[in-house]
């Protein structure tokens, strides 16, 4: 019988436990969230006359964990409605509920004896065959379950989520010595297909893969900082995006993680390692221990390596001087190699520029890379047998763009190893084996397939399941149909093509519109349908704002009007193509990116899609069909029939507010609530499966007998509705809530969404609304204040309220 997880239970409602429960709820899995019973009443409980026996008191800790999910940022839930799938309880009264669970996850304190006690209690209630796992970040899996029955041990393993569970892709799977291989395989598949995770297999060693190597890298960074006399803000400048790491770099990352947690993880390796050299690296510096003693443990205490200070100029972020433990204004890192790296064209070149430089910043980066790369290679065989698992763990768990072995390839294995030898370093056997074989890189690409060097001296192809479509690999395999400077058309196979954006930030310009027209002709002749998708950082951030501003400042109004007309023409061409079109948005899908989705018959969105028509923030309104589409969708939601007609004004007003306030969804599920997506659109929980799912949607529509959408008409709210919207705007301006220019922008939007000055109830076509939309856009972009807003967004990255 096929194994399924229909219900789960999480034991421990702290940050991780509650976050795991939230993500299980995101996946639609009903989940029990249990925690210990409080030992005393709170003042509020006492005031209410409650006793320690009252259910609200006994469940208080778990309930608090659930309540935090609503306030936490970033949001742990796709949709607050998912809270209903989480049922709270306690580990004295409700352990019998574990008999209902197909998966029981322990997420209590990182203490072996406490965990053993929890699993003893679990075994008394779990049903045979139920999977039990620990979310431990480093406690031995085998030690935790050695006193349990053989049947329990067969179904026991580690499932280490990374915080926050919704957002970080990595799920480390750690089998015990007796874990059934079928259980391991099931959890790998379940993690990927149901929870949307990237799973890696780890061995039962201290801190497993990501925390083992990641913490080693943090320790090296601190030791090198002290040795070279650098400051914490200088190190963060060197170890952030310039080397393909998150903006939080080193010390802001430690503040987010918590210095107390970091010390615990570092000591876990130090205490269990038999290697004196490794133990020395994991020795926590004295100044860090002093910070922990003072309670300066990072974000959760309000200060750590960084602290917000109130100054005469306003709130500022200050950095700690680790020698004096006093805070001071941040300093700007000034290294020639850093400046040169920032101007390099791609990440491998940035890495080489930094590592091969001659200043103190380069010395820091070289020593950091050298030690982490040697350590990673030395641990192959101990923490995992697979270099791919190490690279993926660091990318998915710590947000690195390149894993250690990919970094080594980027630096140049031969050149870097030669330097390491000169500096007296011992080269791990795996690296010696690579070079002895005549190879000079850990990865090889052949016809879009990637092989990774493995123990034994041979390359093994990285097996990917069919749900992971790789556009770059398809191009290497000769599947590119057409391309220009901003877009490409690629054959996905099975009669489906893909329109890929390749412009900077995937911003919309004439190149993309030209390729869209090409796609219509090619697909109409040779394909069953089309996917609009890409694998950039974000789906599409909207139109090319810089280009639009230049044209506006040059008063090249015909060119700007032509851009809008071409977008409308593409929309019409897609609808007349006679082939199904599915858009596959993910990440930031803003302004024109949303309007691209409206070109399609259907949307297959990544769960992590942040959609918003944000043009009001730059002094404009959506003019590529966004305003008209939101209006038509609002009118579609007005109930028809019945004894009494339903007033459409509230429906239009809600859509108007969404655009006027430039609301952006925090997930694809919220995009449905805001009206950017339809309830019938698909949502993919795993980002790597998005293009595959979109392709399947095209094939399904074709198989069902696709029929193009027909021209639409609606009855507008007209001049009466427009007057009501304007009255609200006037009241807001008089009340000081919006500026005069805000009122102008929103007034133009209101005019379009009301259908102009026509009488209420007048039937109009979509083409009529599109024309109003274009006119309003052109009127606004001609104003100085809108151009100022555009300029400010380009310069500062945030909206100007003028």
């Amino acid at each position: 019988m096929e194994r399924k997880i229909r219900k789960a239970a999480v034991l421990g409602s702290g940050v991780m436990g509650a976050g795991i429960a939230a993500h299980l709820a995101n996946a639609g899995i009903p989940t029990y969230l249990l925690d210990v019973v409080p030992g005393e009443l709170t003042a509020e409980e006492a005031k209410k006359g409650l006793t320690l026996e009252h259910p609200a008191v006994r469940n208080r800790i778990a309930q608090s964990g659930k309540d935090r999910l609503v306030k936490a940022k970033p949001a742990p839930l796709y949709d607050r409605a998912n809270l209903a799938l989480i049922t709270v309880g306690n580990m004295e009264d409700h352990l019998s509920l574990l008999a209902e669970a197909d998966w029981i996850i322990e997420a209590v304190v990182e203490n072996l004896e406490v965990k053993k006690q929890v699993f003893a209690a679990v075994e008394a209630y779990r049903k045979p065959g139920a999977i039990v796992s620990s979310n431990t970040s480093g406690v031995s899996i085998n030690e935790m379950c050695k006193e349990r029955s053989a049947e329990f041990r067969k179904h026991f393993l580690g499932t280490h989520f990374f915080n926050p569970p919704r957002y970080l892709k990595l799920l480390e799977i750690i089998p015990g010595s007796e874990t059934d291989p079928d259980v391991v395989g099931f959890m790998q598949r379940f993690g990927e297909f149901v929870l949307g995770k990237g799973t890696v297999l780890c061995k039962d060693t201290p801190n497993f893969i990501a925390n083992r190597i990641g913490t080693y890298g943090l320790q090296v960074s601190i030791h090198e900082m002290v040795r070279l006399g650098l400051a914490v803000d200088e190190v963060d400048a060197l170890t952030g995006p310039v080397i393909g790491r998150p903006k939080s770099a080193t010390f802001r990352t430690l503040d987010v993680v918590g210095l107390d947690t970091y010390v615990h993880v570092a000591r876990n390796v130090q205490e269990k390692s038999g290697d004196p050299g490794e133990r020395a690296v994991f020795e926590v510096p004295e100044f860090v221990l002093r910070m922990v003693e003072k309670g300066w443990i990072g974000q959760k205490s309000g200060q750590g390596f960084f602290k917000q200070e109130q100054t005469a100029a306003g709130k500022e972020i200050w950095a700690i001087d680790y020698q004096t433990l006093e805070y001071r204004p941040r300093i700007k890192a000034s290294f020639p190699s850093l400046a040169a790296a920032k101007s390099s064209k791609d990440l491998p070149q940035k890495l080489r520029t930094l590592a091969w430089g001659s200043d103190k910043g380069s010395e820091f980066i070289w020593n950091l890379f050298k030690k982490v790369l040697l350590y990673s290679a030395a641990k192959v065989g101990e923490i995992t047998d697979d270099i791919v698992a190490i690279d993926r763990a660091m990318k998915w768990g710590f947000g690195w763009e390149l894993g250690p072995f990919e970094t080594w390839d980027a630096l140049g294995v031969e050149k870097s190893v030669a330097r390491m030898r000169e500096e007296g370093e011992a080269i791990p056997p795996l690296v010696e084996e690579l070079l002895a074989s005549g190879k000079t890189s850990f990865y090889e690409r052949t016809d879009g397939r990637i092989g990774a060097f493995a123990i034994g001296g041979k390359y093994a192809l990285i097996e990917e399941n069919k749900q992971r479509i790789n556009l770059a690999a398809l191009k290497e395999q000769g599947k590119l149909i057409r391309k220009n400077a901003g877009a490409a058309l690629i054959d996905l196979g099975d009669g489906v093509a893909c329109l890929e954006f390749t412009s900077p930030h995937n911003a919309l310009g004439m190149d993309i519109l030209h390729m869209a027209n090409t796609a219509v002709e090619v697909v109409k002749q040779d394909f069953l349908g089309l996917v609009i998708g890409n694998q950039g950082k974000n789906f599409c951030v909207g139109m090319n704002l810089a280009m639009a501003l230049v044209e506006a400042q040059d008063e090249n109004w015909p060119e700007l009007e032509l851009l809008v007309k071409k977008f409308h023409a593409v929309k019409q061409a897609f609808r007349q193509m006679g082939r199904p079109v599915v858009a596959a948005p993910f990440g930031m899908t803003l302004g024109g990116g949303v309007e691209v989705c409206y070109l399609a018959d259907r949307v297959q969105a990544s769960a992590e899609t942040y959609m918003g028509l944000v043009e009001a923030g730059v002094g404009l309104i959506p003019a590529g069909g966004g305003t008209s589409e939101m209006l038509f969708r609002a009118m579609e939601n007005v109930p028809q029939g019945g004894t009494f007609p339903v007033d459409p004004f509230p429906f239009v007003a809600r859509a108007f507010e969404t655009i006027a306030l430039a609301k952006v969804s925090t997930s694809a599920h919220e995009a449905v609530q805001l009206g950017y997506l339809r309830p019938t659109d698909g949502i993919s929980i795993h980002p790597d499966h998005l293009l595959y799912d979109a392709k399947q949607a095209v094939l399904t529509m074709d198989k069902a007998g696709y029929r193009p959408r027909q021209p639409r008409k609606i009855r507008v709210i007209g001049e009466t509705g427009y007057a009501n919207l304007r009255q609200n705007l006037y009241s807001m301006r008089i009340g000081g809530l919006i500026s005069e220019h805000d009122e102008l922008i929103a007034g133009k939007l209101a005019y379009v969404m009301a259908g102009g000055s026509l009488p209420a109830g007048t039937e109009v076509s979509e083409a009529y609304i599109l024309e109003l939309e274009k006119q309003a856009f052109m009127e606004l972009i001609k104003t100085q204040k809108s151009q100022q807003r555009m300029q400010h967004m380009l310069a500062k990255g945030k909206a100007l309220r003028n």
Side-chain angles (χ1 to χ4, degrees):
M1 185 176 71
E2 184 183 358
R3 184 184 293 275
K4 291 185 178 180
I5 293 177
R6 298 179 178 86
K7 187 173 288 188
V10 178
L11 308 180
S13 62
V15 171
M16 283 303 300
I20 292 168
H23 196 58
L24 290 169
N26 287 336
I29 300 170
T31 301
Y32 291 117
L33 180 62
L34 311 183
D35 213 315
V36 296
V37 175
E40 57 185 28
L41 297 173
T42 64
E44 186 179 351
E45 289 168 342
K47 187 176 180 180
K48 290 180 180 178
L50 302 180
T51 68
L52 287 173
E53 299 307 311
H54 194 282
V57 176
R58 295 179 70 79
N59 296 341
R60 182 222 307 154
I61 296 177
Q63 185 64 51
S64 296
K66 180 178 177 180
D67 292 343
R68 286 195 307 272
L69 297 174
V70 178
K71 302 174 184 177
K73 291 185 178 180
L77 296 160
Y78 292 152
D79 184 340
R80 288 190 179 186
N82 291 340
L83 276 175
L85 291 170
I86 302 174
T87 302
V88 301
N90 65 75
M91 288 194 279
E92 290 183 17
D93 304 329
H94 302 115
L95 281 177
S96 60
L97 295 174
L98 299 183
E100 301 175 23
D102 303 298
W103 181 21
I104 302 164
I105 307 126
E106 169 273 311
V108 302
V109 64
E110 288 285 83
N111 179 287
L112 177 60
E113 294 308 314
V114 172
K115 291 179 185 291
K116 283 183 175 182
Q117 292 171 20
V118 168
F119 292 127
V122 167
E123 184 161 29
Y125 292 97
R126 70 174 278 273
K127 62 185 178 184
I131 295 172
V132 183
S133 70
S134 173
N135 183 59
T136 180
S137 60
V139 178
S140 170
I141 301 302
N142 288 304
E143 285 295 313
M144 275 190 272
C145 68
K146 69 179 183 180
E147 296 168 9
R148 306 276 56 83
S149 68
E151 200 275 341
F152 187 102
R153 295 195 299 272
K154 179 180 176 181
H155 294 89
F156 183 75
L157 72 166
T159 52
H160 181 212
F161 289 82
F162 277 65
N163 190 35
R166 168 184 164 182
Y167 296 94
L168 285 186
K169 186 175 177 179
L170 180 60
L171 175 61
E172 291 183 321
I173 304 287
I174 312 101
S177 58
E178 298 179 50
T179 309
D180 187 337
D182 288 342
V183 170
V184 176
F186 170 79
M187 288 308 299
Q188 288 181 283
R189 294 189 298 275
F190 181 84
E192 177 173 353
F193 289 94
V194 180
L195 300 182
K197 295 298 173 188
T199 62
V200 298
L201 272 180
C202 311
K203 295 189 178 183
D204 188 17
T205 55
N207 295 355
F208 313 127
I209 296 176
N211 277 343
R212 182 74 170 268
I213 292 172
T215 305
Y216 182 90
L218 291 170
Q219 287 289 99
V220 170
S221 296
I222 294 175
H223 294 320
E224 286 298 310
M225 174 184 72
V226 173
R227 186 181 71 83
L228 293 170
L230 300 179
V232 296
D233 25 15
E234 288 180 311
V235 170
D236 271 10
L238 289 164
T239 56
V242 71
I243 63 167
R245 306 284 172 84
K247 289 182 180 179
S248 55
T250 297
F251 292 103
R252 280 180 294 169
T253 294
L254 286 172
D255 276 355
V256 171
V257 170
L259 273 68
D260 52 342
T261 301
Y262 149 67
V263 169
H264 170 80
V265 173
R267 283 178 168 170
N268 189 47
V269 177
Q270 188 187 35
E271 292 168 1
K272 295 175 182 176
S273 175
D275 178 353
E278 184 176 40
R279 289 173 61 87
V281 173
F282 280 93
E283 178 75 37
V284 179
E286 181 62 29
F287 71 85
V288 175
L289 298 177
R290 287 175 60 197
M291 290 173 68
V292 173
E293 287 173 10
K294 290 174 176 288
W296 300 353
I297 57 176
Q299 267 187 7
K300 54 190 174 186
S301 68
Q303 66 187 100
F305 287 103
F306 296 94
K307 177 185 179 183
Q308 190 176 80
E309 290 280 358
Q310 185 67 45
T311 69
K315 290 181 179 179
E316 294 181 3
I317 302 297
W318 284 18
I320 200 166
D321 182 329
Y322 60 86
Q323 294 177 317
T324 64
L325 293 192
E326 294 178 352
Y327 290 89
R328 45 124 183 107
R330 286 187 292 182
I331 60 176
K332 186 174 182 179
S334 179
F335 304 109
S337 62
L338 179 61
K342 287 181 177 179
S343 63
S344 299
K345 65 177 182 178
D346 56 30
L347 182 55
Q349 187 177 337
K350 291 179 194 292
L351 300 183
R352 291 190 293 270
T353 300
L354 270 172
W356 306 128
S358 56
D359 55 38
K360 194 177 286 189
S362 287
E363 185 178 354
F364 173 89
I365 287 295
W366 166 251
N367 283 324
L368 172 62
F369 283 168
K370 176 180 70 172
K371 292 179 181 180
V372 171
L373 300 184
L374 290 171
Y375 186 75
S376 299
K379 293 303 167 186
V380 174
E382 178 184 336
I383 61 177
T384 181
D385 293 330
D386 185 2
I387 70 166
V388 178
I390 291 178
D391 279 349
R392 286 178 170 174
M394 300 317 300
K395 290 191 290 185
W396 296 345
F398 275 70
W400 296 9
E401 286 187 44
L402 298 177
F405 296 97
E406 292 169 326
T407 297
W408 215 330
D409 280 354
L411 289 175
V413 178
E414 280 188 307
K415 182 176 180 179
S416 57
V417 169
R419 182 174 172 182
M420 291 172 186
R421 292 192 204 279
E422 289 175 7
E423 294 173 358
E425 301 291 349
I427 307 302
L430 180 72
V431 185
E432 296 282 22
E433 191 174 23
L434 172 78
L435 296 174
S437 70
K439 302 294 185 179
T440 58
S441 65
F442 287 99
Y443 291 93
E444 282 190 344
R445 297 181 71 91
T446 306
D447 296 328
R449 299 294 304 276
I450 303 176
F453 193 74
I455 295 173
K458 293 184 179 180
Y459 287 87
L461 282 177
I462 299 173
E463 293 297 327
E464 299 284 10
N465 61 49
K466 65 179 182 179
Q467 283 78 10
R468 297 185 183 183
I469 293 175
N470 186 314
L471 295 180
L474 287 176
K475 291 178 187 177
E476 290 180 23
Q477 293 164 17
K479 302 296 184 180
L480 178 66
I481 302 168
R482 304 277 179 82
K483 74 171 183 176
N484 62 23
L489 191 63
I490 302 165
D491 185 351
L492 297 182
D494 300 317
V496 180
C498 177
L499 174 60
E500 177 196 30
F501 301 162
T502 59
S503 59
H505 307 294
N506 289 337
L508 296 172
M510 284 296 189
D511 286 336
I512 288 177
L513 296 180
H514 287 319
M515 187 56 67
N517 282 321
T518 299
V520 169
E521 297 305 314
V522 172
V523 171
K524 190 171 9 178
Q525 181 173 331
D526 300 325
F527 289 87
L528 300 174
L530 177 71
V531 168
I532 306 175
N534 63 77
Q535 292 175 320
K537 185 177 180 181
N538 294 297
F539 177 70
C540 178
V541 297
M543 73 170 173
N544 186 329
L545 193 61
M547 177 272 294
L549 179 60
V550 168
E551 299 291 1
Q553 290 173 335
D554 290 343
E555 298 186 0
N556 194 351
W557 313 127
E559 187 68 23
L560 285 168
E561 189 166 355
L562 179 63
L563 178 66
V564 176
K565 285 181 176 179
K566 277 190 171 292
F567 203 102
H568 291 171
V570 167
K571 182 175 186 177
Q572 189 65 19
F574 272 41
R575 291 189 176 177
Q576 294 176 349
M577 180 171 60
R579 301 288 188 274
V581 180
V582 175
F586 60 93
M588 303 305 292
T589 303
L590 305 177
V594 178
E595 292 172 316
V596 166
C597 294
Y598 293 163
L599 298 174
D601 298 286
R602 180 181 167 182
V603 174
Q604 182 70 35
S606 169
E608 299 299 343
T609 302
Y610 316 116
M611 296 187 84
L613 291 167
V614 296
E615 285 84 350
V618 290
L620 305 170
I621 73 163
T627 302
S628 64
E629 185 66 28
M630 290 291 281
L631 172 60
F632 272 78
R633 292 185 180 201
M635 296 302 289
E636 288 171 5
N637 290 330
V638 180
Q640 302 297 315
T643 306
F644 302 102
V646 176
D647 181 8
F649 179 81
F651 295 87
V652 176
R654 181 173 181 269
F656 164 79
E657 180 183 89
T658 298
I659 300 174
L661 296 180
K663 292 183 179 180
V664 177
S665 72
T666 61
S667 68
H669 296 77
E670 190 179 10
V672 175
Q673 297 172 14
L674 291 174
Y676 294 133
L677 293 178
R678 299 179 186 276
T680 52
D681 287 328
I683 298 176
S684 299
I685 195 167
H686 200 303
D688 293 350
H689 298 177
L690 179 60
L691 288 179
Y692 175 85
D693 293 342
K695 174 183 170 181
Q696 297 311 303
V698 168
L699 293 173
T700 298
M701 293 170 70
D702 174 72
K703 189 175 181 179
Y706 172 74
R707 294 289 181 272
R709 288 179 289 173
Q710 298 303 307
R712 299 175 292 178
K713 291 186 176 182
I714 54 169
R715 296 187 182 279
V716 297
I717 61 174
E719 54 189 355
T720 305
Y722 174 59
N724 289 337
L725 291 173
R726 285 305 306 263
Q727 180 59 45
N728 291 339
L729 293 173
Y730 175 77
S731 299
M732 292 175 72
R733 183 175 65 79
I734 294 300
L737 298 175
I738 61 174
S739 70
E740 187 175 330
H741 196 58
D742 289 329
E743 184 183 19
L744 175 67
I745 298 163
K748 297 289 185 186
L749 176 64
Y751 187 77
V752 177
M753 299 199 77
S757 55
L758 297 173
T762 302
E763 188 175 75
V764 301
S765 67
E766 191 170 359
Y768 169 80
I769 300 296
L770 286 171
E771 182 61 27
L772 292 181
E773 184 182 273
K774 183 194 72 178
Q775 290 173 5
F777 173 86
M778 293 304 301
E779 289 166 4
L780 286 169
I781 202 169
K782 290 178 181 179
T783 66
Q784 184 180 15
K785 287 189 175 180
S786 284
Q787 291 178 26
Q788 288 172 348
R789 290 191 177 198
M790 295 165 71
Q791 182 71 56
H792 191 270
M793 179 61 73
L794 288 168
K796 305 290 185 180
K798 56 185 178 181
L800 170 68
R801 296 295 301 276
N802 58 350

